[in-house]
Structure formats: structure tokens, C-alpha cells
Amino acid sequence: MSYQDILVFLDDGSTNATRVSTGLHFAKRHDAKLTGVALATMKPRRLRTDSSKVRRRVSQEMAEQLVAEFTTKAEQKDVRSKSIIIAGNADKSTDKMVQYSHNYDLLILRQPNPDQKDYSRLTELSETVLLKSGRPILFMPYIGTDKCPGNRVMITWDGTAAACRAVHNALPLMHNASEVVLVIVENKKTRKNVPEAAINGFVEHLNNHGINLTVRRVLKGSYDIATVILNEVAETATDLLIMGGYGKPSLQEKIFGGVTKSILSSMIVPVLMSH
Amino acid sequence: MIKDILLFLDDGKSNPDRVNTAITLAKRHGANLTGAVLGSMKPFHAPNRDEKAVARMSERMADKTLAHFNQASQQAGLDTDALTIYGDSANSAEKLAHYARNYDLVILRQPNPVRDNFERMQECAKKVLLLSGRPVYFMPYTGHKKTPVQRVLIAWDGTPSVSRTVHDAIPLLRQAKNVCILVVESKKQQASKSEVLVERLVRHLQNHDIQACMRKINPGGNSVTTVIQNQVTEHNADLLIMGGHGTPTLKQKIFGRVSGNLFVSMVVPVLMSH
């Protein structure tokens, strides 16, 4: 399977341009349609006003401008595109995002930046879409990236269903990689879930899908798992991390797993997560 | 793409149909097929004698089941792998789930409430769904002789589970002759979340070269389960695609009320991803 429909989130942050070009790059490579989505009620960063009328108008105008710029870029790159502006307050627009997300093979969102005012809204959006859409999400780091992800790929594997879904969802991204490494962080859980025989079977399965990879086991030591993973990423010049996203969507709140939350807040390269 | 299929084998009545389905799908998609059997599953006809005797009979039954499978694959001209999973009920279910991670499609059986191994089969189903995250094709315990995945009905309810299942099923749907998305309308005035954007799902599937039609049905006085079951019959479907749990809760529930009912009373195979 390849990607046919990709969704990319548009906003007025500094990483928007790289996010869009990543989306265009993938769309072109897989001959897919790219849809740009903007939130009509997301307050532009440099806006200072007390009037809700002004805020609404400027936010709407910003969304329209983002969509127009996106459409132009897509035309320039000869990529089929579409755009959506989602109206409604934070909760409503998040819900709508989830519904739209069912119709895409890959969603490209942004890592929320704690220094920005939209941090809590974006965090809520990211967590909800990850846990309720069932689709894979590529989070782009707020520090920016210097190249398109997918050349040196790292999978962090713990044998759980979420990790398994993430890898299968990411297969089209891995086909063009020059290197794919599967890293297992050794702890009690992975020792139980990932015996040697199981890993060999998984490697063979990925080989059948045309992907060659190496396996590395890393000791956890006294560090927490997220730190170990991020260290590995930094030390190996990885440009794309693939992992399962954990959490339990409850009736009231979405509770993110510890490792997922840590990685999402400290990621230094693009991360693809599936729940 | 479907490159690797895992097939669960046992001495049940639905086994031959399950084997035929697996072989048909493996050939159709050019996939590798692995037959898996539980080494300690008590055979149907084994009376409750001493443990050693039952263990011996179970092993022999496992070997016999694998031999039949190998014969059937040879006759069909298909190279296959075989796998025997040892361990008691809990261990073997988990091991099966771990193996399942290495496959694009897992073919299991619907547990039969009349048989001794009912709880054990339920445990297998739950563990594989929960721990592997792979799409599972359940064969009804009454068997199913039709050519697989020709006319498909998708019971769409907008949950992440059904979304995953549909996306996992794309390689299967591309080869189907007829795909229909069913949305059961909400009893409330407002359109339920699942009804919105189904048109877009149709378009998304079209982008994957799948022509799907859509039907919205008002349940009237009937339950949602009944509506779906009726549509399966009316549509002459040979596969029902559904999601699991609707309302997210803290507990890891796999089946909700409707999907649980459909699972227990299936008359055609059901495909589900957790």
C-alpha cells in the first residue's frame, strides 16, 4: 500500500514552511493528494487585541491566507491539493479534526511549543487526534528540521500493538530509507515481550515488505526510557523516529503514557506515532 | 500490501473452510501463508482422562491438523510454513499474539460456545486483537463456503477502531467486487459523529481505487445490531468489517455492546482491528 491521501496542519508558526514542504515531498513521492488544514479560530501569534470581534476576523483571515499560500506552493510543485478551514472553538475544531483524520493515510502535525500561547490548545489537539483517529501522525519538531525525514530511520520497538501498528503504517516511508534500525530498549517489559525468536520473525516480515533493517538492543541503565531513546537518536544521526503512541482516552480526559508524553515534549527529530 | 498471512488451525468443523479461505487469499495476494496450531489444545473427542493421556492426544491432534493443512496447500500448489505453539491456555494465547505481530492478516476462528475450548478460544481472540494490533479475520464456527472478500459490508461508526480496520483492509478491498459502507443513523435529532464525513471516506477509498457505495439506514424500532445483521443478509455480504469498542474508557475494552453482539452471532466472516 502507498499513501494516497496526506493531511498537513497549517499555522503561522516558524516551522510551517518545513512542514508544508515535507508534506509536498511525500505527496510527490507517493503520487498522493495533499490536504492542508487550518483552524479558523486559532489566534495568530502576533495579534494583540481585547476585542473578540477583531480576534475572530483576524484569525479567519489568517486561516484563509495560510490556505492560499499552501495552495500556491502545491501548484508550484505540481502536487494535487485540497484545503479545509475548520471553524468552531477549540473543542469543536478538535472533534472535527478527528473526524476528518479518518480519511487520511498519514497526518502531519506539529510538536506543540511550550513558549507559544497556542501550546495547550495544540497539545490537546495532538493528544486527541493521536488517541481517537486511529491514524499514524508524523509530528514535526518545533525546533525545525534541516532536511526531509526518512533517510535514516529508527524504530523503537517494544513488541506492543501500538508499536506494531506504527511500523506497519510507516512502511511506505521506510522504502526510500538508506538505513533502517530497530532499537529495543532493554527492560522487564521488553524482555518479556520481545524474545530473540520474535524479533527474527518480525525482521523477516519487514524483509518480505522490501525493507532491510538491523536490530540493536540498548540497555536502559538508570535512565528513563525516553532519555535513552532520544540519546540513541542523537548519536546516530537519525532523521525519523517511529514509535507506538500510548495513552488511554477516557471519558473526561486523555491520559498520555509517560514515554509518549516525554518524547512528544522533547523530540529533536520528526516522530511518527500510531496508537 | 498483504505479504504474510497467519492461519489458526484446529480440529473444529470450520477448519476446512478456514483453510480454503486462507489459501485463496494467499494465492490472490501472492502472500506467504503460515499455519499455526496449539500443541496443548484438547481435541474435540477427547474424554476427560488423565493429564498425560490428554497431552499425548493433543499433540497427536496438532500433528494431524498440520498434516492436513500441508496436504491441502500442496494440492493447491502453495508453499506454506507451519508453527506449533506450546504452553497452557494463557501462555499460548500470548505467544500466538506475539507471532501475529509479524503478519499483515491473521485468520482466527469464532469461539464456539458449545465446545470445551470456548474460553480458551475467546482468550486467543482477545489477546491477538489486543496485543498484536493486526487485523483479524474471524471465521464463523458454522463455517463459510463462499469465495472470500467479494462483497464487503463496512459497519462504520467513526471510531478509531473501525478506521484502523478499514485502512488495514485496503489491500483486501481493492480486490473485492462490491464494497458498501453502512451508517446506522442516530436516534437523536442531530447527526451522530459517524454520519458526518462518510462521503469523504468514500472519496478517500476511491483514491485507493476502491469503489464504495454508502447506505444510511434509520433503525426505526430495531436495535443497531439487528439493522447491521439485516443489511449483511440483504447485501449478500461475505465479509463484515467492524470496529470494536465505541466509547473510550479507562479499561482496555475490545468489544462494545453492538460489536460484542455481532461477534457472538456472526453468520459471515468478520474483520476487525483493535
Side-chain angles (χ1 to χ4, degrees):
Chain A
M1 195 196 89
S2 68
Y3 296 142
Q4 297 293 336
D5 287 299
I6 303 177
L7 182 79
V8 63
F9 178 74
L10 308 168
D11 72 346
D12 60 339
S14 55
T15 54
N16 191 58
T18 355
R19 210 177 323 131
V20 170
S21 55
T22 302
L24 289 170
H25 180 92
F26 287 151
K28 206 155 176 80
R29 193 199 289 164
H30 298 274
D31 194 25
K33 193 179 205 176
L34 185 66
T35 303
V37 65
L39 299 178
T41 59
M42 182 83 102
K43 206 167 75 112
R45 287 189 175 183
R46 274 174 274 279
L47 178 65
R48 306 254 180 284
T49 178
D50 286 324
S51 156
S52 59
K53 253 198 205 161
V54 171
R55 190 165 51 234
R56 254 182 310 205
R57 189 169 41 89
V58 177
S59 306
Q60 173 76 28
E61 277 169 8
M62 171 60 80
E64 285 166 11
Q65 189 190 327
L66 288 167
V67 153
E69 282 168 3
F70 163 75
T71 311
T72 310
K73 279 197 207 146
E75 270 168 14
Q76 282 169 353
K77 291 274 176 180
D78 199 24
V79 169
R80 288 173 294 138
S81 77
K82 218 175 58 167
S83 62
I84 304 175
I85 296 182
I86 298 183
N89 67 11
D91 284 335
K92 287 213 183 85
S93 54
T94 298
D95 272 346
K96 284 191 197 172
M97 258 300 250
V98 170
Q99 288 168 40
Y100 277 113
S101 65
H102 290 141
N103 306 331
Y104 293 88
D105 301 304
L106 178 68
L107 315 173
I108 306 178
L109 300 187
R110 55 156 304 160
Q111 177 198 17
N113 185 346
D115 288 335
Q116 296 291 338
K117 289 220 186 87
D118 56 23
Y119 179 66
S120 60
R121 181 171 180 176
L122 273 179
T123 307
E124 175 78 12
L125 181 76
S126 311
E127 294 184 3
T128 312
V129 175
L130 177 65
L131 295 180
K132 283 181 144 187
S133 68
R135 308 312 304 136
I137 302 182
L138 179 66
F139 287 104
M140 302 289 289
Y142 62 76
I143 54 172
T145 48
D146 50 3
K147 52 193 163 86
C148 191
N151 190 34
R152 296 175 61 87
V153 181
M154 177 180 294
I155 301 169
T156 151
W157 179 253
D158 59 0
T160 55
C164 191
R165 278 192 282 264
V167 173
H168 281 95
N169 285 334
L171 287 176
L173 287 180
M174 289 191 272
H175 280 127
N176 292 72
S178 64
E179 193 186 63
V180 179
V181 181
L182 187 122
V183 170
I184 303 168
V185 179
E186 294 268 81
N187 67 359
K188 246 190 332 203
K189 186 169 86 155
T190 55
R191 260 193 289 275
K192 175 172 172 259
N193 274 349
V194 200
E196 209 56 52
I199 267 300
N200 293 338
F202 194 58
V203 170
E204 207 186 297
H205 174 53
L206 292 183
N207 288 340
N208 289 343
H209 273 280
I211 292 167
N212 295 317
L213 65 156
T214 48
V215 178
R216 200 158 71 231
R217 284 181 189 261
V218 173
L219 287 174
K220 182 175 163 295
S222 54
Y223 298 114
D224 61 286
I225 298 179
T227 308
V228 175
I229 294 172
L230 291 171
N231 281 344
E232 279 297 303
V233 166
E235 281 173 22
T236 55
T238 295
D239 63 27
L240 174 64
L241 175 67
I242 295 174
M243 60 184 268
Y246 301 96
K248 298 199 192 311
S250 74
L251 285 177
Q252 299 306 115
E253 31 165 335
K254 276 126 305 277
I255 306 168
F256 244 16
V259 175
T260 307
K261 214 177 179 79
S262 303
I263 301 248
L264 193 57
S265 63
S266 349
M267 54 193 257
I268 48 178
V269 297
V271 180
L272 183 125
M273 287 191 198
S274 266
H275 173 65
Chain B
M1 304 201 61
I2 310 249
K3 292 273 183 209
D4 292 297
I5 301 178
L6 181 67
L7 166 68
F8 177 77
L9 300 163
D10 68 358
D11 61 338
K13 198 173 69 161
S14 59
N15 196 58
D17 292 342
R18 216 176 319 135
V19 171
N20 287 338
T21 294
I23 290 178
T24 307
L25 290 176
K27 283 183 128 175
R28 195 189 286 167
H29 293 272
N32 301 315
L33 178 60
T34 303
V37 74
L38 296 180
S40 63
M41 177 91 97
K42 203 167 77 108
F44 192 12
H45 300 288
N48 281 323
R49 274 198 244 142
D50 68 288
E51 277 187 30
K52 272 204 191 141
V54 172
R56 234 181 322 125
M57 276 190 285
S58 310
E59 277 238 34
R60 246 184 287 151
M61 177 54 80
D63 289 335
K64 204 166 102 176
T65 312
L66 278 180
H68 277 162
F69 169 65
N70 285 329
Q71 203 179 32
S73 355
Q74 252 176 19
Q75 275 175 346
L78 190 67
D79 271 329
T80 57
D81 271 322
L83 181 60
T84 307
I85 299 178
Y86 295 100
D88 65 24
S89 177
N91 279 337
S92 53
E94 262 197 43
K95 281 190 199 172
L96 184 63
H98 288 162
Y99 276 110
R101 292 178 303 207
N102 308 334
Y103 293 87
D104 301 298
L105 181 68
V106 183
I107 302 178
L108 297 187
R109 54 156 307 154
Q110 178 197 21
N112 185 346
V114 158
R115 285 197 55 173
D116 276 342
N117 61 15
F118 178 61
E119 263 111 28
R120 188 162 182 186
M121 287 292 90
Q122 277 193 312
E123 185 70 12
C124 276
K126 285 203 192 128
K127 282 267 149 73
V128 171
L129 278 170
L130 194 64
L131 297 179
S132 73
R134 306 315 296 140
V136 183
Y137 181 105
F138 287 102
M139 174 68 78
Y141 60 73
T142 48
H144 187 76
K145 304 217 178 301
K146 291 200 199 150
T147 311
V149 198
Q150 298 292 285
R151 297 182 61 85
V152 182
L153 186 73
I154 302 173
W156 180 261
D157 62 355
T159 54
S161 173
V162 75
S163 184
R164 281 184 210 119
T165 314
V166 169
H167 280 94
D168 285 338
I170 282 175
L172 294 170
L173 295 176
R174 286 167 63 116
Q175 313 269 37
K177 298 208 162 61
N178 187 296
V179 178
C180 184
I181 306 172
L182 170 70
V183 177
V184 181
E185 284 176 356
S186 166
K187 300 197 187 199
K188 305 192 193 112
Q189 291 287 36
Q190 280 174 320
S192 70
K193 284 186 190 160
S194 56
E195 298 173 43
V196 183
L197 303 176
V198 180
E199 289 86 1
R200 286 177 183 258
L201 177 63
V202 172
R203 232 179 303 161
H204 174 49
L205 291 181
Q206 261 171 358
N207 291 340
H208 277 282
D209 287 327
I210 298 165
Q211 302 306 324
C213 61
M214 188 205 10
R215 289 198 74 179
K216 288 193 186 175
I217 306 247
N218 189 305
N222 294 321
S223 68
V224 177
T225 311
T226 310
V227 172
I228 297 175
Q229 286 167 330
N230 286 343
Q231 283 304 301
V232 165
T233 316
E234 218 183 273
H235 191 70
N236 199 15
D238 58 59
L239 178 66
L240 172 66
I241 290 183
M242 69 181 199
H245 202 231
T247 322
T249 62
L250 281 178
K251 259 203 310 186
Q252 275 275 37
K253 261 208 216 177
I254 307 174
F255 290 105
R257 186 175 44 89
V258 173
S259 52
N261 288 339
L262 289 169
F263 184 72
V264 155
S265 55
M266 67 171 90
V267 287
V268 298
V270 168
L271 185 76
M272 203 177 127
S273 287
H274 176 63

